[in-house]
């Protein structure tokens, strides 16, 4: 790997040379965020060009200071003075033109590049048809975040669960929807409806937008937010960017790291096949019919040495980035842009003081203990985007491939009070995920009046496999400390599963502007289709003693070697259930009409309706081998309206109302039950689940003190009918909790949001390079169950919706000046309902996640004539514990005296990372 990287760098240095000229580029748009194709951009006293279909332009210039004049028919021309163009860096100026509302044919407004570039950061949020929040690539680069999941916690009203699942407005991941480059993404998980955002490296993102209110042209299946992740597009420079970073984790790096033996290709993110189910293993029915002697011979096909422990040294967290950007300009005025990016991250981290506990209703322990978690992970990705632009036409082919691999090795010791046992468990949890997303899309401006046609064809493949998830559990009597640990054959298993999810679809949209009086109106019609196919299967095997002569005290690293697989040793027996496989197909067809009406100089209304027809088919079997078939069909009409009232140029009031839905995922309606040894609970689906209907209402006041600044205050309301929750099953016991998906009767959610982005120059001019950012979300919800009281009324329970937090806080301070960038970021979420208990049935309370304070720091400096950048980041400076506790009092916050007890707690450590990137720019003739 080192030789390959060095050769690549040497080759690049011979191929590329320093540029004698540099690039100035930007985008021209109007106050409604529409790109102004055909706008004229002229260098005063020099050359001129026209904006393309996306409103983008590019000049090749010598370093210096220039003035730009931007004009378009019907708009007020604008002169941008003192545009400083520097060599070896990106020079960007994005300009917003206002409609010419005067009778004077030519009006020119003078502005500055600082004002215009900063204004573009807020322009989208201010003028978007729906209420939204977002982050651009320049902000993402100033954070220590390594993947999209971590980036999303910076967005107003958003938080992250398990470091990968997004929670928007306090609503759990199942009430949110993910899109990549205008294509819907399926659930990436076998056990929940959620997209795992840790799959997408932060380095590949151009921008992230969270739409919080619905419009007819957006998919109607969300309640919290629709997250749109857009990857990088046409480049502005021909450049090769090389980046490398090393990270030190305070509780892991250079310390002993324990795991089962590693395969030769693990570092690439792929298993080399050694962990796959042996090809000689027959079908479930055939395996069950084998004699014990035949099972013994078949067990020898499974590698037994994989249970051995290997101790190495935890190396620094390494990240490598390589991005090649290139644009070819043709004589016919067209240009072809290419971005190819490769990313690789490898980490070895330990959680060395993990606390476990589970308690009876009366607060006596069922079991308690500690464990050590050794977590090995690889995230490798490739992005390849190609775009051709000529005049009013653009065609793009976007591709994203990512491979995520993790092997978590746990060593756990628990004191099981109820069974009078000391339990010793070792497990190797291998999880391999693969994502491919590809889109071929086009944008065509058909007339000079602005009629546009957009189309998109997309395909995605999502695979998640768990090859040879292994457990080895031994127990001894707690009343006899001198006794030996003996194999517990019930929980010594090998599990193999594979999930394949294929999605293909397309969408089209036609936008027609109409001039009525003094105002421009827009009509947009479109439709989409999405077909999904999912196939999931699992095999479970359990080690059994072959006879009473089997030595149950044989150590875990010796017991399953070939010498002990015999009639006096052990063999594997089939434990796969009939429910451990399902096949599903769904189709979603939709059409919409949307009107964007400018009613007068102050009032804008975006309204319309969306019709969706959803079909879902699932096939599986129950425990008795009876065929289980779920076949759902449903039409939904989803109206929405967004109203913006402009009080003046700096203030506006926004109102929104809509109906949206949340449909069950395949996994949620499948009878498959999976026991998670990491969390010590099982999850099963419910074939009778109904889709959730949501009525949404929002009101928000927005104040824009000056370009690039925002202060907003908003209120939100949501009414859920048949909300889907993950709840504890009444059949749970202390050793084995069981959770299943179920519909509550209804729920309501009330909330308030405050967001601030403000420069600090109003305090003192010396603080002009500092910007404060902060957002606060307050939420309160109440659930009504379907269970009825004696008087016939449904039961209202005094708890929030599953997955909801009462508050979310983000705050940050950013500094930018003379090549220096710095960020100080803070994040905190309130006590979050992590699991819904069953105190009146199974006798176990709700599980909450404790708040924790997260502080991140980033400092960077441009070096080597601004071709290089040094970065120092500190992630999770305070290293507060993640802690989950049961909450009998029902009061917010952890309180031991009120009976609260820790169920699961750990620390991830503080990570300090040093990174360096370098741009090698190719010269142009």
């Amino acid at each position: 790997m080192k030789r390959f990287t060095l050769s690549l760098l040497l080759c690049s240095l011979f191929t590329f040379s320093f540029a004698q000229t540099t690039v100035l580029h930007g985008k021209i748009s109007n106050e409604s965020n529409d790109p102004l194709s055909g706008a004229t951009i002229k260098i005063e006293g020099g050359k001129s060009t026209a904006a393309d279909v996306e409103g983008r332009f590019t000049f090749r210039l010598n370093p210096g200071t220039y003035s730009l004049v931007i004009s378009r028919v019907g708009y007020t021309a604008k002169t941008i003075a003192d545009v400083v163009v520097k060599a070896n860096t990106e020079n960007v100026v994005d300009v917003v033109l206002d409609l010419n509302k005067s009778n004077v044919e030519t009006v020119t407004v003078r502005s500055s590049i600082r004002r215009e570039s900063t204004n573009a950061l807020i322009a989208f949020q201010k003028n978007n048809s729906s209420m939204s929040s977002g982050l651009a690539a320049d902000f993402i680069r100033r954070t220590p975040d390594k993947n999209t999941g971590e980036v999303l916690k910076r967005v107003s009203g958003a938080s992250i669960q398990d470091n990968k699942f997004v929670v928007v407005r306090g609503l759990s991941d199942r009430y949110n929807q993910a899109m990549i480059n205008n294509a819907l993404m399926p659930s990436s998980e076998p056990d929940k409806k959620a997209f795992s955002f840790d799959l997408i490296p932060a380095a590949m993102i151009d921008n992230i937008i969270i739409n919080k209110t619905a419009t007819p042209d957006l998919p109607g299946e969300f309640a919290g937010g629709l997250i749109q992740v857009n990857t990088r597009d046409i480049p502005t420079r021909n450049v090769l960017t090389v980046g490398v970073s090393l990270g030190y984790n305070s509780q892991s790096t250079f310390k002993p790291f324990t795991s089962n033996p590693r395969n030769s290709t693990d570092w690439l993110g792929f298993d080399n096949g050694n962990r796959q189910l042996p090809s000689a293993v027959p079908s479930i029915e055939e395996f069950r019919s084998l004699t014990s002697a035949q099972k013994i011979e078949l067990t020898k096909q499974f590698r037994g040495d994989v249970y051995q422990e290997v101790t190495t040294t935890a190396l620094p967290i390494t990240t490598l980035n390589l991005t090649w950007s290139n644009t070819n300009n043709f004589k016919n005025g067209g240009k072809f842009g290419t971005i190819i990016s490769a990313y690789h991250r490898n980490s070895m981290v330990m959680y060395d003081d993990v606390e476990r506990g589970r308690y009876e209703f009366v607060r006596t322990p069922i079991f308690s203990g500690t464990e050590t978690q050794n977590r090995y992970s690889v995230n490798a990705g490739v992005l390849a985007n190609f775009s051709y632009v000529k005049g009013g036409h653009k065609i793009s082919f976007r591709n994203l491939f990512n491979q995520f691999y993790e092997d978590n090795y746990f060593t756990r010791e628990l004191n099981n009070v109820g069974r009078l046992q000391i339990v010793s468990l070792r497990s190797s949890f291998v999880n391999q995920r693969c994502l491919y997303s590809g889109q071929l899309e086009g944008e065509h401006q058909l007339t000079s009046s602005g009629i546009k046609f957009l189309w998109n064809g997309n395909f995605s493949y999502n695979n998640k496999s768990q090859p040879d998830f292994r457990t080895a559990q031994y127990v001894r009597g707690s009343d006899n400390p001198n006794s030996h640990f003996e194999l517990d054959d019930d929980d010594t298993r090998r599990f193999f599963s594979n999930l394949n999810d294929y999605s293909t679809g397309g969408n089209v949209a036609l936008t027609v502007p109409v001039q009525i009086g003094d105002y421009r109106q827009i009509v947009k019609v479109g439709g989409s289709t999405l077909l999904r196919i999912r196939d999931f299967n699992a095999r479970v095997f359990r080690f059994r003693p072959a006879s009473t002569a089997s030595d149950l005290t044989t150590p875990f690293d010796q017991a399953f070697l070939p010498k002990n697989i015999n009639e006096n040793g052990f063999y594997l027996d089939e434990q796969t259930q009939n429910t451990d496989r399902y096949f599903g197909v769904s189709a979603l067809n939709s059409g919409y009409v949307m009107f964007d009406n400018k009613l007068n100089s102050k009032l804008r209304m975006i309204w319309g309706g969306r019709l969706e027809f959803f079909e879902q088919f699932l096939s599986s079997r129950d425990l008795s081998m009876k065929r289980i078939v779920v076949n759902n069909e449903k039409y939904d009409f989803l109206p929405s309206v967004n109203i913006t009232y402009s009080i003046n140029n700096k203030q506006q009031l926004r109102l929104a109302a809509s109906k949206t839905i949340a449909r069950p995922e395949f996994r949620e309606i499948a009878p498959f039950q999976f026991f998670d040894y990491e969390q010590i609970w099982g999850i099963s689906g419910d074939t009778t689940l109904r889709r959730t209907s949501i009525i949404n209402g929002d009101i928000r006041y927005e104040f824009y003190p000056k370009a690039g600044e925002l202060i907003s205050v908003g209120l939100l309301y949501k009414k859920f009918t048949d909300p889907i929750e993950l709840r504890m099953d009444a059949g749970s016991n202390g050793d084995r909790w069981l959770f299943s998906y179920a519909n509550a009767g209804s729920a309501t959610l009330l909330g308030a949001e405050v967001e601030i982005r403000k420069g600090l120059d109003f305090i003192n001019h010396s603080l002009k390079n500092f910007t404060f950012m902060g957002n606060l979300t307050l939420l309160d919800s109440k659930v009504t169950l379907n269970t009825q009281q004696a008087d016939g009324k449904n039961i209202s329970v005094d708890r929030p919706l599953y997955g909801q937090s009462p508050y979310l806080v983000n705050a940050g301070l950013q500094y930018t000046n003379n090549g220096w960038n710095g960020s100080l970021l803070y994040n905190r979420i309130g006590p979050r309902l992590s699991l819904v208990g069953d105190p009146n049935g199974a006798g176990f309370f709700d599980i909450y996640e404790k708040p924790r304070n997260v502080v991140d720091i980033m400092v960077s400096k441009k070096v080597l004539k601004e071709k290089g950048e040094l970065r120092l980041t500190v992630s999770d400076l305070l290293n507060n514990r993640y802690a989950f506790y049961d909450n009998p009092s029902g009061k917010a916050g952890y309180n031991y005296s009120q009976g609260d007890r820790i169920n699961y707690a750990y620390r991830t450590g503080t990570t300090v990372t040093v990174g360096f990137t370098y741009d090698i720019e190719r010269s142009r003739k």
Side-chain angles (χ1 to χ4, degrees), residues 110-167:
R110 298 192 68 84
S111 184
S112 68
I113 187 171
R114 179 179 177 84
R115 174 182 171 84
E116 290 304 318
S117 297
T118 307
N119 186 48
L121 298 175
I122 301 297
F124 182 88
Q125 185 169 332
K126 179 181 179 182
N127 299 300
N128 194 20
S129 56
S130 69
M131 296 185 196
S132 61
S133 298
L135 297 174
D138 63 334
F139 174 84
I140 295 169
R141 285 195 296 268
R142 296 172 190 161
T143 72
D145 303 329
K146 60 183 178 294
N147 60 57
T148 308
E150 294 181 354
V151 170
L152 281 167
K153 70 185 178 184
R154 314 292 180 190
V155 181
S156 175
S159 63
I160 291 298
Q161 194 169 25
D162 298 335
N163 294 318
K164 54 188 175 182
F165 303 122
V166 67
V167 176

Side-chain angles (χ1 to χ4, degrees), residues 373-676:
Q373 301 180 5
N374 296 263
R375 295 174 172 264
Y376 177 90
S377 67
V378 175
N379 191 343
V382 176
L383 177 145
N385 288 350
F386 310 93
S387 296
Y388 178 77
V389 178
K390 183 180 184 298
H393 303 275
K394 177 184 177 183
I395 295 178
S396 299
F397 182 38
R398 305 186 187 211
N399 301 270
L400 174 68
F401 174 81
N402 191 263
Q403 180 75 17
F404 187 85
Y405 178 91
E406 58 184 343
D407 183 1
N408 301 331
Y409 188 71
F410 292 4
T411 56
R412 176 185 301 158
E413 187 164 304
L414 302 176
N415 180 8
N416 193 317
V417 178
R419 294 189 177 187
L420 297 177
Q421 289 179 334
I422 302 297
V423 179
S424 177
L425 173 75
R426 286 170 172 81
S427 69
S428 177
F429 183 88
V430 177
N431 191 2
Q432 184 173 278
R433 287 178 284 163
C434 167
L435 169 69
Y436 168 75
S437 172
Q439 295 101 35
L440 180 65
E441 58 186 9
E443 181 177 351
H444 309 277
Q445 182 164 317
L446 305 180
T447 66
S448 60
S449 63
I451 297 178
K452 281 187 179 181
F453 178 68
L454 298 93
W455 56 271
N456 176 289
N458 55 78
F459 172 80
S460 69
Y461 169 65
N462 199 333
N463 170 265
K464 181 171 182 177
S465 64
Q466 293 174 296
D468 204 4
F469 168 27
R470 299 180 293 272
T471 59
Q473 182 162 297
Y474 284 71
V475 298
R476 68 169 176 82
S478 58
D479 55 346
N480 184 6
N482 296 320
S483 61
H484 296 286
F485 278 101
E486 295 186 352
L487 177 73
D488 179 1
D489 62 299
D490 187 43
D491 284 309
T492 300
R493 305 187 176 198
R494 300 180 79 159
F495 176 90
F496 303 81
S497 73
N498 192 60
L499 178 150
N500 287 306
D501 198 308
Y502 305 88
S503 297
T504 184
N507 56 72
V508 294
L510 180 67
T511 302
V512 181
V514 180
Q515 192 74 25
I516 300 178
D518 295 332
Y519 303 104
R520 185 170 180 256
Q521 318 296 325
I522 296 176
V523 180
K524 186 176 183 180
V525 294
S528 64
T529 183
L530 179 67
L531 175 68
R532 282 187 58 197
I533 300 174
R534 171 174 284 196
D535 185 25
F536 173 81
N537 64 82
R539 295 289 295 271
V540 188
F541 302 92
R542 167 182 167 187
F543 276 103
R544 290 182 178 274
S547 70
T548 55
S550 301
D551 185 4
L552 301 181
T553 64
T554 305
F556 68 91
D557 57 350
Q558 299 292 320
F560 315 117
L561 294 175
K563 65 180 181 181
N564 292 316
I565 306 302
N566 53 51
E567 63 276 5
N568 293 317
F570 304 95
Y571 70 92
L572 283 170
D573 202 4
E574 184 80 57
Q575 287 294 113
T576 309
Q577 302 294 324
N578 300 323
T579 58
D580 291 345
R581 178 168 188 172
Y582 64 86
F583 175 81
V585 180
S586 70
L588 175 63
N589 296 292
S590 62
Y592 66 87
V593 58
M594 184 176 82
F595 303 93
D596 187 347
N597 296 136
K598 188 78 171 177
L599 303 180
N600 54 47
S601 61
K602 293 183 176 294
L603 192 62
R604 179 189 179 198
M605 182 168 71
I606 298 97
W607 61 285
R610 183 181 185 90
L611 182 64
E612 295 190 348
F613 177 55
F614 181 69
E615 300 173 274
Q616 186 179 49
F617 172 84
L618 182 133
S619 175
S620 186
R621 295 185 183 275
D622 64 13
L623 294 176
S624 65
M625 280 296 289
K626 179 182 176 181
R627 173 71 66 181
I628 300 294
V629 174
V630 180
N631 196 357
N632 296 321
E633 293 183 359
K634 187 72 175 179
Y635 281 96
D636 286 290
F637 177 65
L638 307 173
S640 63
V641 59
N642 286 261
I643 299 173
T644 301
Y645 178 75
S646 298
I647 301 170
N648 52 43
N649 290 334
K650 293 186 176 182
Q651 301 177 75
Q652 64 184 26
L653 186 66
R654 306 186 70 154
L655 300 171
S658 64
K659 179 184 177 181
T660 57
I661 52 175
R663 301 183 178 98
E665 177 60 45
F666 288 126
R667 174 61 185 97
E668 296 172 336
I669 61 174
F672 166 64
Q673 182 180 130
F674 171 70
F675 188 81
D676 189 333

Side-chain angles (χ1 to χ4, degrees), residues 174 616 618 620 626 628-634 662-672 684-692 721-725 727 729 740-745 786:
R174 77 157 333 280
Q616 186 179 49
L618 182 133
S620 186
K626 179 182 176 181
I628 300 294
V629 174
V630 180
N631 196 357
N632 296 321
E633 293 183 359
K634 187 72 175 179
R663 301 183 178 98
E665 177 60 45
F666 288 126
R667 174 61 185 97
E668 296 172 336
I669 61 174
F672 166 64
S684 64
D686 181 356
T687 59
T688 65
L689 274 184
R690 301 178 299 279
R691 66 107 171 90
T692 304
T721 301
D722 296 327
I724 298 173
E725 297 188 307
R727 298 210 300 257
D729 189 277
S740 60
Y741 296 94
N743 290 106
N786 289 318

Side-chain angles (χ1 to χ4, degrees), residues 74-280:
Y75 289 86
T76 300
K78 187 173 283 188
T79 298
I80 313 298
D82 300 325
V83 179
V84 179
V85 177
K86 297 181 179 180
N88 307 324
T89 188
E90 281 196 295
N91 301 282
V92 185
V93 53
D94 294 331
V95 181
V96 178
L97 293 185
D98 299 323
L99 282 169
N100 188 352
K101 301 173 184 177
S102 69
N103 295 321
V104 181
E105 290 187 4
T106 304
V107 177
T108 302
V109 176
R110 298 192 68 84
S111 184
S112 68
I113 187 171
R114 179 179 177 84
R115 174 182 171 84
E116 290 304 318
S117 297
T118 307
N119 186 48
L121 298 175
I122 301 297
F124 182 88
Q125 185 169 332
K126 179 181 179 182
N127 299 300
N128 194 20
S129 56
S130 69
M131 296 185 196
S132 61
S133 298
L135 297 174
D138 63 334
F139 174 84
I140 295 169
R141 285 195 296 268
R142 296 172 190 161
T143 72
D145 303 329
K146 60 183 178 294
N147 60 57
T148 308
E150 294 181 354
V151 170
L152 281 167
K153 70 185 178 184
R154 314 292 180 190
V155 181
S156 175
S159 63
I160 291 298
Q161 194 169 25
D162 298 335
N163 294 318
K164 54 188 175 182
F165 303 122
V166 67
V167 176
V168 181
R169 289 180 156 183
L171 294 173
S172 66
D173 41 44
R174 77 157 333 280
Y175 287 111
N176 303 301
Q177 184 68 270
M179 296 182 72
I180 298 181
N181 298 328
N182 301 314
L184 279 172
M185 297 307 298
S187 170
S188 62
E189 302 304 298
D191 291 312
K192 63 196 307 183
K193 180 180 180 179
F195 183 78
S196 183
F197 283 96
D198 61 339
L199 285 172
I200 308 172
M204 296 183 177
I205 303 169
D206 183 57
N207 60 71
I208 297 175
I209 300 165
I210 298 184
N211 296 280
K212 298 179 181 178
T213 62
T215 55
D217 59 338
L218 294 176
E221 191 175 355
F222 71 94
L226 176 68
I227 301 102
Q228 295 176 285
V229 179
N230 297 306
T231 57
R232 301 171 66 182
D233 204 345
I234 288 185
T236 58
R237 295 189 297 160
N238 290 359
V239 63
L240 176 70
T241 300
V242 181
V244 62
S245 69
L246 295 175
Y248 173 85
N249 182 274
S250 60
Q251 61 190 38
S252 306
T253 308
F254 302 130
K255 296 181 180 179
F257 186 89
T258 303
S259 69
N260 288 151
R262 189 81 52 216
N263 285 349
S264 60
T265 58
D266 285 2
W267 68 277
L268 290 172
F270 296 88
D271 176 67
N272 65 358
N274 286 344
R275 296 187 179 92
Q276 299 302 315
L277 187 68
S279 58

Side-chain angles (χ1 to χ4, degrees), residues 15-34:
T15 307
F16 289 78
S17 61
F18 294 113
Q20 300 303 312
T21 60
T22 191
V23 172
L24 172 67
H25 65 94
K27 181 177 180 180
I28 313 301
S29 58
N30 63 18
E31 55 189 5
S32 297
N33 286 327
D34 300 318

